[in-house]
Amino acid sequence: MDGIDDENTFLLDDELHSDTDTDISSNCLDYSSDDSCSELSSDEDLSSARIFTEVDVKNPPVPCPRFKFSGIPSVHVQFDDTSDVLQFYETFIDFSLMSKIVEETNKYAKQCIQSSVARQFSKSKFWVETTVEGLHVFFALNILQGIVKKPGIDHYWSKRYSTNTPFFSKIMSHHRFCLLQHYLYFSDNAAFDPQNHKCPRLVKVWPVLKHLNEKFSETVTPERDVTIDESFMLFKGRLGWKQFIPLKRARFGVKCFMLCESVSGYVWSIIIYTGKDTFLKPEYSKLCFSSQIVLTVMEPLLHKGYCLTIDNYYYSPELAENLFHVERTYMAH
């Protein structure tokens, strides 16, 4: 057993009981079974389960039982062997979201053009309102640029024989692409209320983030085992909550907290870190920041017997007590 030097260790980690020669019933050690020895009913006394007890690693006791799992893992969208990438894309980036982006983009472009005096050779003179189909093409070209990598945007429309990529110019002109990139907008500035907005720092992308989180949770009900971890998105622009982590491959960027299904890695919920203004549920404000993160993203899955795996950043006694005693969620550390 790696990482254990003493025979007497204070543990609640069920992984230490996986390799043992003791005569313990396999049914009692199987967390995923529906036997009475592996799950707790709602009316059982949990006081003894919350007490750290001295464990003899040579003769470990029966692991702490899990709560009864009441979730129904499933995918709520019809996918089959004939489903292609476009169907997955349209499941999350659907018509309602694209219509919202088209509306705000056209509105923002109109406001910018009317409020400024265009120069003689300004590209804005050639602006034409975009459509849902036009934005789909624009997003597709952006995705393709991540596959066909070049030093700059202009290189994709280069006419040089050595660097020419004719596909881009056939699909959309360089001027049109730059105009869409310049005027792309997601939110309505006139409707913004900094006093009542849930996360004022993310107001520019809030409609998209909210929509995606709703789609992520509506599309899939996760399996019993879930996990929370950070993700780091490369960004070197000007941003007040930009992070610098020298040990990461992308040292500058935006940090996100993600709740994922352990088996598939499916992202079920996202919280973008914005410093002290990070969007968290107010009912958990008395807890430490890491505990607030866990309880906020886990809130729809609480009281259903899920098993949450986290690392040292999130783990704390108050979180363990809250999840186990109040929310009836099993936590593995």
Side-chain angles (χ1 to χ4, degrees):
M1 298 185 184
D2 297 338
I4 299 178
D5 299 325
D6 300 326
E7 292 186 0
N8 297 323
T9 309
F10 292 93
L11 299 168
L12 271 182
D13 195 341
D14 55 356
E15 294 179 0
L16 298 177
H17 308 301
S18 59
D19 299 326
T20 178
D21 297 330
T22 56
D23 185 16
I24 299 177
S25 171
S26 60
N27 290 333
C28 291
L29 290 175
D30 184 6
Y31 288 174
S32 61
S33 68
D34 294 330
D35 296 340
S36 59
C37 64
S38 64
E39 293 182 342
L40 291 173
S41 62
S42 58
D43 56 351
E44 284 188 86
D45 182 15
L46 302 177
S47 58
S48 61
R50 297 196 304 274
I51 299 175
F52 285 85
T53 57
E54 191 172 0
V55 176
D56 183 357
V57 295
K58 292 184 178 180
N59 298 290
V62 177
C64 179
R66 293 188 180 187
F67 295 107
K68 184 176 182 180
F69 182 56
S70 59
I72 305 177
S74 58
V75 178
H76 306 296
V77 178
Q78 289 297 114
F79 293 121
D80 52 36
D81 295 337
T82 62
S83 300
D84 56 7
V85 176
L86 182 60
Q87 184 177 351
F88 288 97
Y89 169 83
E90 291 179 341
T91 299
F92 303 101
I93 313 296
D94 59 10
F95 183 80
S96 62
L97 176 61
M98 293 300 293
S99 298
K100 174 68 175 178
I101 298 175
V102 167
E103 178 185 354
E104 297 303 333
T105 298
N106 289 331
K107 185 188 300 183
Y108 178 68
K110 184 177 180 180
Q111 292 173 353
C112 290
I113 294 172
Q114 290 179 347
S115 61
S116 61
V117 178
R119 297 180 180 179
Q120 182 178 359
F121 300 103
S122 174
K123 294 179 181 179
S124 61
K125 291 183 177 181
F126 303 98
W127 169 257
V128 178
E129 288 194 348
T130 188
T131 62
V132 171
E133 292 75 14
L135 271 189
H136 275 308
V137 173
F138 173 75
F139 288 156
L141 292 179
N142 276 276
I143 295 173
L144 186 58
Q145 288 174 8
I147 301 173
V148 182
K149 296 184 178 181
K150 294 192 176 185
I153 297 295
D154 295 346
H155 289 75
Y156 291 97
W157 282 267
S158 173
K159 295 182 180 180
R160 291 186 178 182
Y161 180 77
S162 58
T163 59
N164 184 24
T165 314
F167 176 81
F168 285 86
S169 57
K170 289 181 180 179
I171 299 299
M172 182 179 289
S173 69
H174 183 216
H175 280 185
R176 182 60 178 173
F177 184 89
C178 291
L179 282 172
L180 286 173
Q181 190 177 48
H182 180 72
Y183 291 123
L184 185 66
Y185 223 70
F186 304 116
S187 63
D188 185 3
N189 290 332
F192 173 55
D193 182 2
Q195 301 298 326
N196 298 319
H197 197 277
K198 293 182 178 179
C199 190
R201 287 190 170 187
L202 294 177
V203 61
K204 300 297 184 182
V205 296
W206 184 256
V208 177
L209 180 63
K210 180 182 177 182
H211 175 89
L212 290 178
N213 272 329
E214 291 174 353
K215 281 294 180 180
F216 291 157
S217 58
E218 290 173 0
T219 304
V220 173
T221 299
E223 298 283 347
R224 185 178 202 170
D225 295 294
V226 294
T227 184
I228 296 176
D229 206 352
E230 306 97 47
S231 178
F232 206 62
M233 295 186 295
L234 175 64
F235 183 77
K236 295 184 178 180
R238 298 176 60 184
L239 198 61
W241 58 92
K242 180 177 62 178
Q243 298 280 296
F244 172 68
I245 304 179
L247 297 180
K248 295 284 187 179
R249 183 178 180 182
R251 295 181 298 167
F252 295 90
V254 178
K255 183 164 67 175
C256 302
F257 302 98
M258 295 185 176
L259 173 64
C260 305
E261 187 182 61
S262 298
V263 176
S264 65
Y266 177 83
V267 178
W268 201 80
S269 183
I270 299 176
I271 291 179
I272 297 179
Y273 174 76
T274 58
K276 64 179 182 180
D277 295 326
T278 302
F279 173 66
L280 300 169
K281 296 292 184 179
E283 53 264 35
Y284 306 124
S285 59
K286 294 183 179 180
L287 302 176
C288 66
F289 180 78
S290 60
S291 297
Q292 292 182 60
I293 289 289
V294 173
L295 293 172
T296 298
V297 296
M298 278 291 296
E299 187 177 49
L301 304 180
L302 297 176
H303 308 287
K304 296 181 180 180
Y306 277 91
C307 180
L308 173 66
T309 302
I310 56 176
D311 59 20
N312 292 335
Y313 176 80
Y314 305 97
Y315 182 79
S316 66
E318 69 172 2
L319 177 62
E321 177 70 14
N322 196 293
L323 285 176
F324 198 84
H325 179 54
V326 181
E327 311 297 355
R328 304 190 68 79
T329 301
Y330 194 88
M331 182 175 68
H333 175 233

